[in-house]
Amino acid sequence: MLLLCLSLFQSLASAIWPIPTHYKHGDTVLCISKHFRFDWASKSDHFDDDGFYRYSWSEAYFQPQENESNHHKPPTREHIVRYAAYSAHDTIFNKNFVPWKFHPRSWTEPDLFNIPCISRVQLHLLQEDPEDVARPLSGSIDESYSLSLTEEGEATISANSSIGVVRGLATFTQLFSKHTLGAAYTRLAPVYIYDAPKFPHRGLNLDVSRHFFPVSDIMRTIDALAYAKMNRLHLHITDSQSWPLEIPSLAKLAEKGAFRPNLVYTVKDFEELQHHAAIQGVQLITEIDMPGHTSSIYHSYPDLVAAFDIQPDHYTYAAEPPSGTLKLNSTAVYEFLETLFDDLLPRITPYASYFHTGGDEVNKNAYLLDDTVRSKDFAVLQPLMQTFIDRNHEQLRKKGLTPVVWEEMLLEWDLKLGEDVVVQSWRSDEAVEKIVEKGHKVLVGNYKFWYLDCGKGQWLNLDSNDPGQYQDYCAPYHNWRAIYSHNPLTNIPTSKQHLVLGGEVHLWAEQTDPSNLDQMVWPRAAAAAEVLWSGAMDAEGNSRSQKEAAQRLSEMRERLVRMGVGAEPVQMPYCTMEGGCGA
Ligand SMILES: *[C@@H]1O[C@H](CO)[C@@H](O)[C@H](O)[C@H]1NC(C)=O
Ligand SMILES: *[C@@H]1O[C@H](CO)[C@@H](O)[C@H](O)[C@H]1NC(C)=O
Ligand SMILES: *[C@@H]1O[C@H](CO)[C@@H](O)[C@H](O)[C@H]1NC(C)=O
């Protein structure tokens, strides 16, 4: 038996993305039976002689027991583990690939005759799930797992929560390749893994207002996020360009504010998205950005919005057209928000602990045109903004939700935010330092590294012939290496690092629609997934090797493509076949 530590074994792909905390494997080939069975044991109130409650799963349980779209309750431990087991089986046998790109031209596939086959996978749930398993606060779920696969084909995954089992099963599928003859096999036995995430918040922020994305596109994105062990999908669901979210008690909002009446997430769509995310250990975090970025409300409630669509100098009133902001000192706006939140929040609380109230890029000039204020004086506006945020956050807290805000609310508006509030940073690493200095929990996502939309050039039509004007504000395009190089803990003192909950990569959708969504997100979001799950540094405290990562990310990309996600290639096959393309 040959047992190799990963660090000694960098030239061949070692299969797993993101890289586990502890990972040892050998080079024995094992097949896996298409009829392999899950045995499931969990500690519970009903103890067997050895302290475990047991029952076996037969093949019948590979299908989710209930039609997922038919139940409207948050998933339980049983739903979560069954769905993960079903997905793992489906991935290994139906979404796998022949790994010729990861071997030299002379490679021949292993002979699978007369070798041991895996016939069952034991799943051990070592502890009860916390009550909020379907809507965890950062840190409340233990996502760690251990995985062992012996040379004889005994496979065991142990975890302290059902979500840990989900993460362990994602890893398990990545040990297997497809054989040209149809079977699936691993060439890595024996395997010993202990794995746990570095950060509890690992997400993608997807803007579904600048372009509309059908539910199926978001579902596929959720599947890919879970497969990369990301656990948050932040939906920037409304903005100035469109309001695609159905709010039954304010029906005109979507009827008039969406691009077309059918380009709307209905109450049912929204529930299904949240459920599909939660069952895979992904929390869907909804953002209604305000008070700026709200001019789509004007189409249904014109009296609530100031400085609507000022032309031609929209720059004076908003970061991008159309300008418009919720009035800042208006009883009517407060009544509207009360109704909006009373409708929306109860549909969110079964699936999420967080709600994002936005707060980026609020333009002070716009309040010169706000008849409830008529001022751009910070001393006048700041207390009104404080009242606005306090009102919103109080209503969230009453519903059991924790507020998230963009960094400007703290750093530019100098608001007093509750200790519970999570501040999402986007403008710089220095901003992250300031936020933790003020004692707040923070999400990183420096636009110079983690904005996925950058580098496509200007989308506004300009009169200028100056080539420099054609650049977008955050050019160039950040390829996966730039994303991978960003350390969320840059310059954060050890004593404050616990405040960095993790981060998100961001896709603002001015130039992205369903036709290029997958290419814009994948595999680059997976690069951030590894930074957030495994940390930016390796076990020796060095920045992770791009050369080693490129092989594994290339393999992850093949798996995403087989899942139906149009991820872009990482490298030429020449590089992955011949052991890297180092500079
Ligand atoms: C699940 O149920 C919905 C609604 O009843 C139906 O449209 C869908 O086809 C069903 N899906 C499966 C996989 O049976
Ligand atoms: C489970 O929890 C125990 C202690 O409560 C811890 O030692 C272990 O690392 C956790 N994870 C796994 C996979 O066992
Ligand atoms: C806010 O509105 C109230 C009530 O209309 C008014 O009395 C007050 O002066 C306004 N505050 C500012 C700063 O304009």
Side-chain angles (χ1 to χ4, degrees):
M1 177 183 100
L2 182 63
L3 204 57
L4 297 158
C5 285
L6 182 70
S7 56
L8 303 175
F9 196 59
Q10 291 185 348
S11 58
L12 290 175
S14 326
I16 299 168
W17 190 280
I19 194 77
T21 317
H22 298 285
Y23 176 23
K24 285 183 179 185
H25 65 80
D27 61 359
T28 298
V29 177
L30 294 176
C31 62
I32 180 163
S33 162
K34 192 154 190 173
H35 303 290
F36 83 87
R37 165 184 113 198
F38 285 103
D39 280 358
W40 142 264
S42 71
K43 284 230 173 203
S44 83
D45 296 340
H46 316 284
F47 292 129
D48 204 355
D49 289 346
D50 57 359
F52 282 98
Y53 175 66
R54 290 190 189 284
Y55 61 91
S56 285
W57 282 7
S58 63
E59 211 187 335
Y61 289 110
F62 286 144
Q63 297 296 330
Q65 193 188 30
E66 295 157 69
N67 181 334
E68 217 200 313
S69 56
N70 284 344
H71 58 83
H72 297 281
K73 291 211 175 87
T76 63
R77 184 181 78 174
E78 266 66 28
H79 294 130
I80 291 167
V81 175
R82 276 176 203 281
Y83 190 76
Y86 159 78
S87 303
H89 185 272
D90 186 41
T91 301
I92 291 170
F93 292 101
N94 304 324
K95 296 171 179 165
N96 215 330
F97 68 102
V98 175
W100 62 267
K101 284 183 191 169
F102 301 91
H103 299 277
R105 286 179 169 83
S106 59
W107 178 66
T108 51
E109 292 180 276
D111 186 352
L112 299 186
F113 290 105
N114 295 321
I115 61 166
C117 263
I118 299 161
S119 60
R120 68 170 185 163
V121 176
Q122 298 193 57
L123 304 177
H124 287 176
L125 198 50
L126 305 172
Q127 293 176 15
E128 289 291 338
D129 275 346
E131 298 248 317
D132 66 351
V133 62
R135 54 185 296 272
L137 278 171
S138 283
S140 79
I141 287 247
D142 181 347
E143 294 179 89
S144 69
Y145 66 91
S146 62
L147 187 163
S148 77
L149 174 62
T150 67
E151 279 184 301
E152 294 74 37
E154 284 290 324
T156 308
I157 294 169
S158 304
N160 290 326
S161 73
S162 55
I163 304 302
V165 173
V166 175
R167 307 295 175 235
L169 279 166
T171 294
F172 185 70
T173 66
Q174 295 178 359
L175 298 171
F176 296 93
S177 303
K178 184 176 164 184
H179 197 281
T180 314
L181 299 176
Y185 67 96
T186 179
R187 50 174 185 84
L188 298 169
V191 178
Y192 298 103
I193 291 173
Y194 176 85
D195 201 7
K198 172 99 177 157
F199 295 102
H201 186 120
R202 308 177 302 277
L204 165 71
N205 170 26
L206 179 63
D207 163 16
V208 297
S209 167
R210 269 58 174 258
H211 272 102
F212 182 78
F213 296 87
V215 168
S216 58
D217 288 305
I218 304 177
M219 293 280 198
R220 185 175 70 253
T221 304
I222 290 167
D223 295 345
L225 287 170
Y227 199 55
K229 300 191 176 74
M230 288 181 114
N231 65 358
R232 302 283 189 261
L233 173 63
H234 164 183
L235 276 190
H236 182 86
I237 206 162
T238 62
D239 207 297
S240 287
Q241 288 77 11
S242 79
W243 183 289
L245 181 64
E246 183 189 20
I247 305 291
S249 59
L250 298 164
K252 283 194 292 178
L253 261 179
E255 278 168 22
K256 301 198 171 182
F259 289 125
R260 296 286 294 166
N262 62 329
L263 300 186
V264 166
Y265 304 108
T266 64
V267 168
K268 184 162 174 287
D269 291 340
F270 187 57
E271 163 111 33
E272 282 172 9
L273 284 169
Q274 293 185 96
H275 187 276
H276 190 68
I279 204 169
Q280 301 185 78
V282 177
Q283 186 171 140
L284 193 153
I285 298 177
T286 306
E287 178 189 358
I288 304 284
D289 197 356
M290 64 182 95
H293 291 275
T294 46
S295 57
S296 57
I297 296 171
Y298 183 89
H299 305 293
S300 47
Y301 299 94
D303 294 344
L304 306 183
V305 175
F308 176 70
D309 198 17
I310 306 295
Q311 295 286 3
D313 64 336
H314 74 264
Y315 285 119
T316 307
Y317 299 99
E320 73 180 44
S323 62
T325 190
L326 282 175
K327 293 180 181 175
L328 207 51
N329 183 28
S330 154
T331 323
V333 166
Y334 282 179
E335 283 165 4
F336 167 83
L337 291 173
E338 188 88 16
T339 309
L340 170 65
F341 282 0
D342 273 348
D343 185 317
L344 181 59
L345 301 185
R347 294 187 277 116
I348 286 178
T349 46
Y351 300 102
S353 287
Y354 296 98
F355 183 87
H356 201 312
T357 59
D360 59 326
E361 299 181 323
V362 178
N363 185 301
K364 298 180 188 75
N365 294 330
Y367 297 111
L368 277 174
L369 307 181
D370 175 350
D371 58 6
T372 70
V373 182
R374 296 223 179 272
S375 172
K376 63 168 186 173
D377 181 354
F378 183 72
V380 173
L381 298 179
Q382 201 265 1
L384 296 174
M385 186 67 84
Q386 183 74 56
T387 308
F388 183 87
I389 290 292
D390 287 348
R391 197 219 69 83
N392 288 342
H393 288 188
E394 262 166 48
Q395 197 176 355
L396 293 187
R397 290 187 189 103
K398 271 189 209 144
K399 304 280 187 207
L401 289 164
T402 298
V404 186
V405 297
W406 291 108
E407 66 172 57
E408 288 97 316
M409 292 287 99
L410 184 70
L411 300 182
E412 198 178 311
W413 288 83
D414 201 21
L415 300 185
K416 282 204 180 54
L417 300 171
E419 250 181 66
D420 54 338
V421 176
V422 177
V423 179
Q424 182 158 35
S425 182
W426 65 279
R427 295 195 293 186
S428 64
D429 293 350
E430 292 69 39
V432 176
E433 289 173 55
K434 284 185 198 153
I435 294 163
V436 299
E437 190 55 42
K438 288 172 181 277
H440 276 284
K441 297 183 193 116
V442 67
L443 304 176
V444 308
N446 186 334
Y447 76 102
K448 290 185 181 139
F449 296 91
W450 282 15
Y451 270 27
L452 301 174
D453 52 308
C454 303
K456 293 184 86 73
Q458 186 54 262
W459 58 268
L460 282 164
N461 303 313
L462 305 171
D463 292 329
S464 162
N465 281 324
D466 170 6
Q469 294 282 305
Y470 304 145
Q471 288 295 338
D472 56 80
Y473 75 103
C474 57
Y477 181 88
H478 312 320
N479 85 2
W480 74 268
R481 292 176 183 81
I483 289 165
Y484 197 62
S485 73
H486 185 50
N487 185 352
L489 298 177
T490 304
N491 295 332
I492 304 297
T494 316
S495 64
K496 303 279 185 191
Q497 292 187 354
H498 65 283
L499 294 170
V500 181
L501 298 181
E504 296 180 356
V505 285
H506 301 261
L507 184 59
W508 303 108
E510 284 88 351
Q511 301 188 78
T512 299
D513 80 355
S515 72
N516 63 341
L517 171 66
D518 291 1
Q519 296 90 319
M520 289 298 288
V521 177
W522 305 103
R524 293 186 296 156
E530 178 151 299
V531 170
L532 290 166
W533 177 277
S534 318
M537 302 292 173
D538 65 17
E540 286 78 45
N542 302 314
S543 295
R544 291 186 186 278
S545 154
Q546 282 182 15
K547 197 174 168 191
E548 186 274 333
Q551 286 295 100
R552 282 184 302 107
L553 187 58
S554 298
E555 193 168 333
M556 178 64 166
R557 182 266 174 176
E558 297 300 313
R559 294 187 187 279
L560 289 169
V561 169
R562 293 322 180 280
M563 288 171 70
V565 176
E568 285 192 340
V570 173
Q571 301 202 116
M572 296 177 273
Y574 160 73
C575 299
T576 52
M577 292 170 83
E578 306 298 336
C581 280

